[in-house]
Amino acid sequence: MPFQEDFLIEQFMDRHEKDVKYNMGETCCHSLNLNELSELTGEKFELDQNVRLTYGSIWGTQSLRDLVAKIHSNGEVQLTAENVLITNGAIGANFLVHYTLAGPGDHIICVDPTYQQLSSVPNMFGADVELLHLDAEDGYTPSIEKLRRKVKNNTKYIVLNNPNNPLGSVISTEKLTEIIELAEENKILIVCDEVYSPLFHSSKQPKSLCQLSAQGIVTGSMSKAYSAAGLRLGWIVSQDKELLRQAASRRDFNTISVSIIDDHVSQYILKHRDVVLKRNFDLCRKNLTIMKDFIRSSNGKFSFVHEPEGGSVCLLRVEGVENTNSFATKLATEFKVLCAPGECFGVPGTLRIGYGNPTEDLIEGLKLLELAYDIMFPA
Ligand SMILES: Cc1ncc(COP(=O)(O)O)c(C=O)c1O
């Protein structure tokens, strides 16, 4: 069996999530229930009682794939259902992409820090995964020069995450274009996890990789911006139909398809995408202001590693604390506040906070975070 390392963030969250009172660790914009969705959209979700509870279309229904294709299209690039494969969450999409592409002898460059799955899974399939550190001097986005120095003869693909989890940094269209040029010169593919898209908080929204590159492979889902992680529904989008065919063929051997009911609920949400996104942009904007006020009044105890430009998470530096794993564990068990330790992303001394959580959780959680710090690390 190939070696598979532990998935640190998923295990930390699972250990503490159910017992905390204030959850600032969750990365999704606060999940919605069907009643709240009806109120937001002005239309009740009704499952067509004639929908047969069968496997349905293995690739996802035509209507759902049309909706996902539309999200990833723009004036210049019109994608269709044929460019979309529906998967079991973005985690299923990422797994399938790496399962399809990575193998022994392949060199893969993956941004760091990021969601551990993106480096760990290709590594499990026997590829040599090299991390490309994201540095402050580059705005925590890939430096073209640093990237160029990592390219080898056997580099097969580059893995990006836009917006980035845990940093909240955003790769601009211009930078993406430069990465694509470098990749094309060297016949390298690019995979971009866009699960936090379209949560971009500054005025300039970057294009999706699959709009910019005919070989680009994008993953996404209903979990973060659409507040429906419980559906476990995601997608792979690419202009490269052969790549999608190969991924679908591998998927036949594990999950086959997603639930037909989840497919229908996703269609309902995506049809009302604008109101759901407005609710979540407003939530993130309000909570980010609270975060900034908290940081300002903390007198240097907490600071942004990078002030987030996109997504629903940010990384906070905790002054003078090296072992944030033990701090986050105490916060969860004794103060009933959940924050994810930076150690889960290879960044000790930091905590990851999800600012798409309910505002009350954030207000109370931040108060307790500071109280815990003052008690545990007196000046
Ligand atoms: C970057 C990234 N990719 C993928 C996922 C998994 O998302 P999903 O719930 O759609 O499987 C997460 C979840 O936190 C994530 O942060």
Side-chain angles (χ1 to χ4, degrees):
M1 276 290 282
F3 172 71
Q4 174 67 72
E5 60 191 1
D6 287 341
F7 200 156
L8 301 178
I9 185 65
E10 297 301 338
Q11 293 188 357
F12 186 89
M13 296 290 284
D14 191 44
R15 233 180 351 261
H16 300 294
E17 209 159 21
K18 284 160 217 75
D19 301 322
V20 294
K21 195 156 172 214
Y22 304 109
N23 191 341
M24 304 197 294
E26 180 56 71
T27 55
C28 305
C29 291
H30 185 35
S31 58
L32 284 158
N33 63 36
L34 287 171
N35 284 333
E36 290 164 339
L37 273 164
S38 306
E39 261 175 48
L40 264 182
T41 62
E43 185 192 321
K44 205 162 176 242
F45 170 71
E46 308 266 13
L47 181 66
D48 176 355
Q49 302 296 304
N50 292 318
V51 166
R52 210 157 278 289
L53 300 177
T54 177
Y55 291 110
S57 163
I58 304 296
W59 281 57
T61 56
Q62 173 81 27
S63 23
L64 178 61
R65 289 162 65 216
D66 280 340
L67 284 162
V68 174
K70 208 167 140 205
I71 293 175
H72 286 87
S73 298
N74 62 13
E76 295 138 41
V77 181
Q78 290 301 319
L79 300 175
T80 70
E82 289 187 4
N83 301 109
V84 179
L85 174 63
I86 299 299
T87 61
N88 300 77
I91 202 150
N94 288 332
F95 192 90
L96 266 184
V97 168
H98 296 296
Y99 183 16
T100 306
L101 294 177
D106 294 329
H107 175 249
I108 289 159
I109 303 170
C110 179
V111 292
D112 175 63
T114 191
Y115 193 55
Q116 189 188 337
Q117 184 200 22
L118 301 179
S119 59
S120 182
V121 170
N123 188 39
M124 181 188 83
F125 286 120
D128 166 23
V129 181
E130 193 174 350
L131 300 180
L132 174 73
H133 295 287
L134 301 177
D135 297 320
E137 64 196 23
D138 308 311
Y140 291 101
T141 61
S143 139
I144 302 299
E145 277 325 302
K146 291 173 195 166
L147 183 56
R148 192 183 298 281
R149 286 200 289 275
K150 294 218 179 281
V151 171
K152 296 182 184 173
N153 287 339
N154 63 337
T155 304
K156 186 155 184 193
Y157 61 97
I158 300 166
V159 186
L160 306 174
N161 175 207
N162 199 27
N164 178 279
N165 171 15
L167 290 159
S169 54
V170 169
I171 311 174
S172 65
T173 300
E174 293 70 29
K175 173 83 61 105
L176 274 172
T177 307
E178 286 182 74
I179 299 172
I180 292 165
E181 278 165 14
L182 173 69
E184 284 176 355
E185 270 166 42
N186 292 279
K187 299 196 173 18
I188 299 170
L189 298 173
I190 308 175
V191 175
C192 191
D193 177 327
E194 296 185 5
V195 75
Y196 291 92
S197 175
L199 293 172
F200 297 103
H201 306 306
S202 59
S203 53
K204 245 187 154 191
Q205 173 165 341
K207 290 186 181 166
S208 170
L209 174 74
C210 60
Q211 294 165 356
L212 292 167
S213 159
Q215 274 88 45
I217 303 151
V218 164
T219 56
S221 82
M222 296 299 297
S223 296
K224 314 297 178 186
Y226 302 107
S227 296
L231 295 180
R232 308 308 307 127
L233 192 136
W235 46 79
I236 307 173
V237 183
S238 180
Q239 295 184 42
D240 182 348
K241 294 180 189 163
E242 175 53 21
L243 176 282
L244 293 176
R245 195 200 59 73
Q246 288 182 25
S249 160
R250 280 166 177 76
R251 208 261 300 275
D252 287 342
F253 288 96
N254 54 36
T255 53
I256 306 181
S257 65
V258 301
S259 141
I260 193 78
I261 295 179
D262 295 345
D263 186 309
H264 280 257
V265 182
S266 300
Q267 286 181 50
Y268 161 71
I269 296 177
L270 291 183
K271 276 184 198 147
H272 296 286
R273 176 174 184 261
D274 290 350
V275 281
V276 176
L277 288 178
K278 179 174 179 332
R279 178 253 195 192
N280 288 339
F281 274 118
D282 290 350
L283 178 66
C284 288
R285 201 168 300 124
K286 182 172 175 192
N287 286 353
L288 253 181
T289 306
I290 292 169
M291 292 283 314
K292 286 181 196 168
D293 289 346
F294 167 77
I295 288 171
R296 216 171 293 123
S297 65
S298 82
N299 293 324
K301 287 182 262 189
F302 303 95
S303 54
F304 282 126
V305 172
H306 179 74
E307 193 169 316
E309 300 146 331
S312 49
V313 295
C314 60
L315 206 54
L316 286 197
R317 199 174 287 108
V318 188
E319 179 59 25
V321 179
E322 273 166 37
N323 189 342
T324 28
N325 197 27
S326 116
F327 184 38
T329 304
K330 280 226 165 94
L331 268 172
T333 53
E334 293 174 23
F335 293 84
K336 303 293 170 204
V337 175
L338 187 63
C339 303
E343 280 84 348
C344 295
F345 301 90
V347 196
T350 64
L351 295 173
R352 187 195 66 184
I353 303 220
Y355 56 87
N357 284 299
T359 303
E360 313 79 75
D361 280 38
L362 208 71
I363 291 174
E364 293 308 317
L366 290 174
K367 271 189 214 156
L368 286 167
L369 168 63
E370 188 161 15
L371 177 71
Y373 179 92
D374 289 341
I375 293 173
M376 289 167 65
F377 311 103

